[in-house]
Amino acid sequence: MKSYRKELWFEAPSRIAFINITRQVEACLRESGVREGLVLVNAMHITASVFINDDESGLHRDFETWLENLAPHEPISRYFHNRTGEDNGDAHLKRQVMGREVVVAITGGQLDFGPWEQIFYGEFDGRRKKRVLVKIIGE
Amino acid sequence: MKSYRKELWFEAPSRIAFINITRQVEACLRESGVREGLVLVNAMHITASVFINDDESGLHRDFETWLENLAPHEPISRYFHNRTGEDNGDAHLKRQVMGREVVVAITGGQLDFGPWEQIFYGEFDGRRKKRVLVKIIGE
Amino acid sequence: MKSYRKELWFEAPSRIAFINITRQVEACLRESGVREGLVLVNAMHITASVFINDDESGLHRDFETWLENLAPHEPISRYFHNRTGEDNGDAHLKRQVMGREVVVAITGGQLDFGPWEQIFYGEFDGRRKKRVLVKIIGE
């Protein structure tokens, strides 16, 4: 069994952002030499997500509006968590809706994807450096 | 390490549907010959889900009502995504709540499940052919 | 390839509870002897979750308030599922938001975590014995 590990670093210029990381995960997969196995891609921070959906800018605006409605950023005082001095209570909730991680099949040395699947880093408390972990196991 | 791959095809007659695919995943597992490992089951489309919950028709009605409330299908114009000519903006959101994939342990050649766990394909933009990927790795 | 399996048992004294199980998963990892691989941690019951977020009590109160707002427990009659004699329709929905499982990378014999990642058992229909499955594969 082979294993491979890499950290991807991001610093989103805005509080909320969606960044397509599919090409970076594919580069990891090539570097790993794994032909059959699984790749785990997860946010290493608890106010961010990794998820799979469509690379369409209108949809990303819909995600932002929808998540803001489900878990509003303001008023900051609405979250007990923010009494610790943070202002990111909403980001911890938004991340639960969008998920922490994806697991993708590797077949014949490729990400085994349907026609529109793309991997995104979802940032809900940006303007700071944060990491994504790529872990690959297989043969 | 053994690996196994199969696509399951579905064409739901309605926009929203929940289909129990546990027996089909069990058949894949038998075919794979894997006794210890992991099975990944994921929607290959971005307006559908694979999830684990109860096989109870009342609960499935509750899921539909609840998801419709969280991300209404209509008016179509409420989603930027639908300006592309699509009418499935809601389906991309519903799929995030229900999830893309499940990873299930394989122990002694069986799905290692609690008493009520069943695997479902969740369709949110049906009336077309769509696929689920079953990928098994182990020994 | 090595594989390892353990069940963790819980009986939360309240309907809703969040229990940090990171130390227990780390103990499983040590027992397994796996240095490189993946660990799957999943609720074996369909009204409970395993998720990764912050070990901060204010945030846990926020989760509870937020989930209660997204999928209220009462009135019991609001869910078709409860016509079966259950009163846990809401718990099946809350679990979908928070997720069934996490998959965590194992690197150098450790859980490969970011600075604040902690694993929680999320209970939404407590006051009964329930299980979490820890399955480890790797080398």
Side-chain angles (χ1 to χ4, degrees), chain B residues 65-83:
Chain B
T65 306
W66 179 64
L67 290 167
E68 198 57 35
N69 185 256
L70 291 179
H73 181 61
E74 294 185 318
I76 301 299
S77 63
R78 78 183 270 148
Y79 300 106
F80 288 109
H81 181 58
N82 291 340
R83 297 189 185 176

PDB file of all heavy atoms in Angstrom, chain B residues 65-83:
ATOM      1  N   THR B  65     -40.369  17.505   2.621  1.00  0.00           N
ATOM      2  CA  THR B  65     -40.977  18.756   3.109  1.00  0.00           C
ATOM      3  C   THR B  65     -39.918  19.678   3.697  1.00  0.00           C
ATOM      4  O   THR B  65     -39.891  20.888   3.442  1.00  0.00           O
ATOM      5  CB  THR B  65     -42.021  18.440   4.203  1.00  0.00           C
ATOM      6  OG1 THR B  65     -42.944  17.497   3.694  1.00  0.00           O
ATOM      7  CG2 THR B  65     -42.736  19.699   4.662  1.00  0.00           C
ATOM      8  N   TRP B  66     -39.052  19.103   4.484  1.00  0.00           N
ATOM      9  CA  TRP B  66     -38.020  19.872   5.193  1.00  0.00           C
ATOM     10  C   TRP B  66     -37.034  20.496   4.207  1.00  0.00           C
ATOM     11  O   TRP B  66     -36.722  21.690   4.291  1.00  0.00           O
ATOM     12  CB  TRP B  66     -37.312  18.896   6.144  1.00  0.00           C
ATOM     13  CG  TRP B  66     -36.205  19.427   6.978  1.00  0.00           C
ATOM     14  CD1 TRP B  66     -36.270  20.377   7.955  1.00  0.00           C
ATOM     15  CD2 TRP B  66     -34.847  18.976   6.950  1.00  0.00           C
ATOM     16  NE1 TRP B  66     -35.033  20.550   8.531  1.00  0.00           N
ATOM     17  CE2 TRP B  66     -34.141  19.702   7.937  1.00  0.00           C
ATOM     18  CE3 TRP B  66     -34.153  18.024   6.207  1.00  0.00           C
ATOM     19  CZ2 TRP B  66     -32.777  19.510   8.179  1.00  0.00           C
ATOM     20  CZ3 TRP B  66     -32.803  17.830   6.460  1.00  0.00           C
ATOM     21  CH2 TRP B  66     -32.127  18.570   7.428  1.00  0.00           C
ATOM     22  N   LEU B  67     -36.579  19.700   3.243  1.00  0.00           N
ATOM     23  CA  LEU B  67     -35.630  20.205   2.246  1.00  0.00           C
ATOM     24  C   LEU B  67     -36.278  21.269   1.365  1.00  0.00           C
ATOM     25  O   LEU B  67     -35.634  22.251   0.989  1.00  0.00           O
ATOM     26  CB  LEU B  67     -35.095  19.051   1.389  1.00  0.00           C
ATOM     27  CG  LEU B  67     -34.160  18.088   2.116  1.00  0.00           C
ATOM     28  CD1 LEU B  67     -33.949  16.826   1.280  1.00  0.00           C
ATOM     29  CD2 LEU B  67     -32.815  18.753   2.422  1.00  0.00           C
ATOM     30  N   GLU B  68     -37.553  21.078   1.046  1.00  0.00           N
ATOM     31  CA  GLU B  68     -38.268  22.063   0.229  1.00  0.00           C
ATOM     32  C   GLU B  68     -38.362  23.378   0.980  1.00  0.00           C
ATOM     33  O   GLU B  68     -38.273  24.465   0.380  1.00  0.00           O
ATOM     34  CB  GLU B  68     -39.657  21.528  -0.135  1.00  0.00           C
ATOM     35  CG  GLU B  68     -40.314  22.229  -1.287  1.00  0.00           C
ATOM     36  CD  GLU B  68     -39.493  22.207  -2.577  1.00  0.00           C
ATOM     37  OE1 GLU B  68     -38.807  21.211  -2.856  1.00  0.00           O
ATOM     38  OE2 GLU B  68     -39.531  23.233  -3.292  1.00  0.00           O
ATOM     39  N   ASN B  69     -38.502  23.295   2.301  1.00  0.00           N
ATOM     40  CA  ASN B  69     -38.554  24.493   3.128  1.00  0.00           C
ATOM     41  C   ASN B  69     -37.176  25.167   3.212  1.00  0.00           C
ATOM     42  O   ASN B  69     -37.065  26.405   3.155  1.00  0.00           O
ATOM     43  CB  ASN B  69     -39.077  24.109   4.512  1.00  0.00           C
ATOM     44  CG  ASN B  69     -39.282  25.325   5.391  1.00  0.00           C
ATOM     45  OD1 ASN B  69     -38.492  25.600   6.288  1.00  0.00           O
ATOM     46  ND2 ASN B  69     -40.329  26.084   5.124  1.00  0.00           N
ATOM     47  N   LEU B  70     -36.123  24.374   3.329  1.00  0.00           N
ATOM     48  CA  LEU B  70     -34.767  24.935   3.438  1.00  0.00           C
ATOM     49  C   LEU B  70     -34.276  25.524   2.110  1.00  0.00           C
ATOM     50  O   LEU B  70     -33.532  26.504   2.108  1.00  0.00           O
ATOM     51  CB  LEU B  70     -33.767  23.852   3.886  1.00  0.00           C
ATOM     52  CG  LEU B  70     -33.886  23.320   5.312  1.00  0.00           C
ATOM     53  CD1 LEU B  70     -32.821  22.243   5.555  1.00  0.00           C
ATOM     54  CD2 LEU B  70     -33.725  24.445   6.336  1.00  0.00           C
ATOM     55  N   ALA B  71     -34.681  24.903   0.996  1.00  0.00           N
ATOM     56  CA  ALA B  71     -34.213  25.334  -0.332  1.00  0.00           C
ATOM     57  C   ALA B  71     -35.342  25.101  -1.336  1.00  0.00           C
ATOM     58  O   ALA B  71     -35.354  24.111  -2.076  1.00  0.00           O
ATOM     59  CB  ALA B  71     -32.963  24.538  -0.741  1.00  0.00           C
ATOM     60  N   PRO B  72     -36.314  26.050  -1.382  1.00  0.00           N
ATOM     61  CA  PRO B  72     -37.505  25.864  -2.236  1.00  0.00           C
ATOM     62  C   PRO B  72     -37.157  25.774  -3.719  1.00  0.00           C
ATOM     63  O   PRO B  72     -36.260  26.485  -4.196  1.00  0.00           O
ATOM     64  CB  PRO B  72     -38.330  27.133  -1.971  1.00  0.00           C
ATOM     65  CG  PRO B  72     -37.803  27.707  -0.688  1.00  0.00           C
ATOM     66  CD  PRO B  72     -36.359  27.315  -0.626  1.00  0.00           C
ATOM     67  N   HIS B  73     -37.884  24.919  -4.424  1.00  0.00           N
ATOM     68  CA  HIS B  73     -37.697  24.799  -5.875  1.00  0.00           C
ATOM     69  C   HIS B  73     -38.158  26.072  -6.593  1.00  0.00           C
ATOM     70  O   HIS B  73     -37.531  26.494  -7.566  1.00  0.00           O
ATOM     71  CB  HIS B  73     -38.500  23.599  -6.381  1.00  0.00           C
ATOM     72  CG  HIS B  73     -38.359  23.358  -7.847  1.00  0.00           C
ATOM     73  ND1 HIS B  73     -37.154  23.084  -8.444  1.00  0.00           N
ATOM     74  CD2 HIS B  73     -39.282  23.370  -8.853  1.00  0.00           C
ATOM     75  CE1 HIS B  73     -37.336  22.927  -9.752  1.00  0.00           C
ATOM     76  NE2 HIS B  73     -38.604  23.102 -10.012  1.00  0.00           N
ATOM     77  N   GLU B  74     -39.255  26.639  -6.097  1.00  0.00           N
ATOM     78  CA  GLU B  74     -39.854  27.799  -6.756  1.00  0.00           C
ATOM     79  C   GLU B  74     -39.875  29.006  -5.831  1.00  0.00           C
ATOM     80  O   GLU B  74     -39.921  28.830  -4.609  1.00  0.00           O
ATOM     81  CB  GLU B  74     -41.283  27.456  -7.188  1.00  0.00           C
ATOM     82  CG  GLU B  74     -41.257  26.385  -8.267  1.00  0.00           C
ATOM     83  CD  GLU B  74     -42.648  26.083  -8.824  1.00  0.00           C
ATOM     84  OE1 GLU B  74     -43.606  25.994  -8.016  1.00  0.00           O
ATOM     85  OE2 GLU B  74     -42.758  25.932 -10.046  1.00  0.00           O
ATOM     86  N   PRO B  75     -39.909  30.223  -6.336  1.00  0.00           N
ATOM     87  CA  PRO B  75     -39.826  30.521  -7.770  1.00  0.00           C
ATOM     88  C   PRO B  75     -38.441  30.212  -8.327  1.00  0.00           C
ATOM     89  O   PRO B  75     -37.436  30.449  -7.652  1.00  0.00           O
ATOM     90  CB  PRO B  75     -40.111  32.030  -7.834  1.00  0.00           C
ATOM     91  CG  PRO B  75     -39.677  32.547  -6.493  1.00  0.00           C
ATOM     92  CD  PRO B  75     -39.963  31.441  -5.516  1.00  0.00           C
ATOM     93  N   ILE B  76     -38.417  29.685  -9.542  1.00  0.00           N
ATOM     94  CA  ILE B  76     -37.179  29.343 -10.240  1.00  0.00           C
ATOM     95  C   ILE B  76     -36.215  30.538 -10.241  1.00  0.00           C
ATOM     96  O   ILE B  76     -35.003  30.384 -10.103  1.00  0.00           O
ATOM     97  CB  ILE B  76     -37.505  28.938 -11.707  1.00  0.00           C
ATOM     98  CG1 ILE B  76     -38.457  27.729 -11.746  1.00  0.00           C
ATOM     99  CG2 ILE B  76     -36.231  28.656 -12.500  1.00  0.00           C
ATOM    100  CD1 ILE B  76     -37.940  26.489 -11.108  1.00  0.00           C
ATOM    101  N   SER B  77     -36.795  31.741 -10.352  1.00  0.00           N
ATOM    102  CA  SER B  77     -35.990  32.970 -10.464  1.00  0.00           C
ATOM    103  C   SER B  77     -35.245  33.330  -9.182  1.00  0.00           C
ATOM    104  O   SER B  77     -34.439  34.259  -9.185  1.00  0.00           O
ATOM    105  CB  SER B  77     -36.893  34.137 -10.863  1.00  0.00           C
ATOM    106  OG  SER B  77     -37.853  34.348  -9.832  1.00  0.00           O
ATOM    107  N   ARG B  78     -35.509  32.612  -8.085  1.00  0.00           N
ATOM    108  CA  ARG B  78     -34.817  32.978  -6.836  1.00  0.00           C
ATOM    109  C   ARG B  78     -33.340  32.603  -6.838  1.00  0.00           C
ATOM    110  O   ARG B  78     -32.587  33.075  -5.997  1.00  0.00           O
ATOM    111  CB  ARG B  78     -35.549  32.410  -5.622  1.00  0.00           C
ATOM    112  CG  ARG B  78     -35.323  30.953  -5.347  1.00  0.00           C
ATOM    113  CD  ARG B  78     -36.162  30.470  -4.168  1.00  0.00           C
ATOM    114  NE  ARG B  78     -35.473  30.604  -2.892  1.00  0.00           N
ATOM    115  CZ  ARG B  78     -36.070  30.859  -1.737  1.00  0.00           C
ATOM    116  NH1 ARG B  78     -37.367  31.031  -1.667  1.00  0.00           N
ATOM    117  NH2 ARG B  78     -35.376  30.938  -0.628  1.00  0.00           N
ATOM    118  N   TYR B  79     -32.919  31.738  -7.790  1.00  0.00           N
ATOM    119  CA  TYR B  79     -31.522  31.281  -7.820  1.00  0.00           C
ATOM    120  C   TYR B  79     -30.777  31.864  -9.018  1.00  0.00           C
ATOM    121  O   TYR B  79     -31.247  31.758 -10.158  1.00  0.00           O
ATOM    122  CB  TYR B  79     -31.462  29.758  -7.869  1.00  0.00           C
ATOM    123  CG  TYR B  79     -32.133  29.125  -6.671  1.00  0.00           C
ATOM    124  CD1 TYR B  79     -33.379  28.488  -6.775  1.00  0.00           C
ATOM    125  CD2 TYR B  79     -31.539  29.178  -5.418  1.00  0.00           C
ATOM    126  CE1 TYR B  79     -33.996  27.931  -5.663  1.00  0.00           C
ATOM    127  CE2 TYR B  79     -32.155  28.624  -4.299  1.00  0.00           C
ATOM    128  CZ  TYR B  79     -33.378  28.002  -4.433  1.00  0.00           C
ATOM    129  OH  TYR B  79     -33.992  27.464  -3.332  1.00  0.00           O
ATOM    130  N   PHE B  80     -29.617  32.462  -8.764  1.00  0.00           N
ATOM    131  CA  PHE B  80     -28.758  32.957  -9.850  1.00  0.00           C
ATOM    132  C   PHE B  80     -28.409  31.817 -10.802  1.00  0.00           C
ATOM    133  O   PHE B  80     -28.317  32.014 -12.013  1.00  0.00           O
ATOM    134  CB  PHE B  80     -27.462  33.557  -9.283  1.00  0.00           C
ATOM    135  CG  PHE B  80     -27.656  34.873  -8.602  1.00  0.00           C
ATOM    136  CD1 PHE B  80     -27.542  34.987  -7.227  1.00  0.00           C
ATOM    137  CD2 PHE B  80     -27.959  36.020  -9.349  1.00  0.00           C
ATOM    138  CE1 PHE B  80     -27.726  36.214  -6.596  1.00  0.00           C
ATOM    139  CE2 PHE B  80     -28.136  37.245  -8.725  1.00  0.00           C
ATOM    140  CZ  PHE B  80     -28.025  37.338  -7.343  1.00  0.00           C
ATOM    141  N   HIS B  81     -28.200  30.614 -10.236  1.00  0.00           N
ATOM    142  CA  HIS B  81     -27.822  29.468 -11.065  1.00  0.00           C
ATOM    143  C   HIS B  81     -28.832  29.233 -12.198  1.00  0.00           C
ATOM    144  O   HIS B  81     -28.446  28.788 -13.286  1.00  0.00           O
ATOM    145  CB  HIS B  81     -27.722  28.216 -10.199  1.00  0.00           C
ATOM    146  CG  HIS B  81     -27.324  26.983 -10.946  1.00  0.00           C
ATOM    147  ND1 HIS B  81     -26.147  26.889 -11.664  1.00  0.00           N
ATOM    148  CD2 HIS B  81     -27.949  25.786 -11.111  1.00  0.00           C
ATOM    149  CE1 HIS B  81     -26.058  25.673 -12.212  1.00  0.00           C
ATOM    150  NE2 HIS B  81     -27.144  25.005 -11.897  1.00  0.00           N
ATOM    151  N   ASN B  82     -30.093  29.526 -11.935  1.00  0.00           N
ATOM    152  CA  ASN B  82     -31.129  29.246 -12.933  1.00  0.00           C
ATOM    153  C   ASN B  82     -31.094  30.218 -14.108  1.00  0.00           C
ATOM    154  O   ASN B  82     -31.732  29.958 -15.138  1.00  0.00           O
ATOM    155  CB  ASN B  82     -32.500  29.196 -12.260  1.00  0.00           C
ATOM    156  CG  ASN B  82     -32.643  27.977 -11.350  1.00  0.00           C
ATOM    157  OD1 ASN B  82     -31.899  26.993 -11.498  1.00  0.00           O
ATOM    158  ND2 ASN B  82     -33.577  28.027 -10.418  1.00  0.00           N
ATOM    159  N   ARG B  83     -30.319  31.301 -13.997  1.00  0.00           N
ATOM    160  CA  ARG B  83     -30.136  32.205 -15.148  1.00  0.00           C
ATOM    161  C   ARG B  83     -29.331  31.545 -16.267  1.00  0.00           C
ATOM    162  O   ARG B  83     -29.279  32.064 -17.384  1.00  0.00           O
ATOM    163  CB  ARG B  83     -29.413  33.483 -14.708  1.00  0.00           C
ATOM    164  CG  ARG B  83     -30.223  34.275 -13.697  1.00  0.00           C
ATOM    165  CD  ARG B  83     -29.595  35.631 -13.443  1.00  0.00           C
ATOM    166  NE  ARG B  83     -30.328  36.321 -12.388  1.00  0.00           N
ATOM    167  CZ  ARG B  83     -29.979  37.505 -11.892  1.00  0.00           C
ATOM    168  NH1 ARG B  83     -28.895  38.113 -12.369  1.00  0.00           N
ATOM    169  NH2 ARG B  83     -30.692  38.067 -10.934  1.00  0.00           N
TER     170      ARG B  83
END
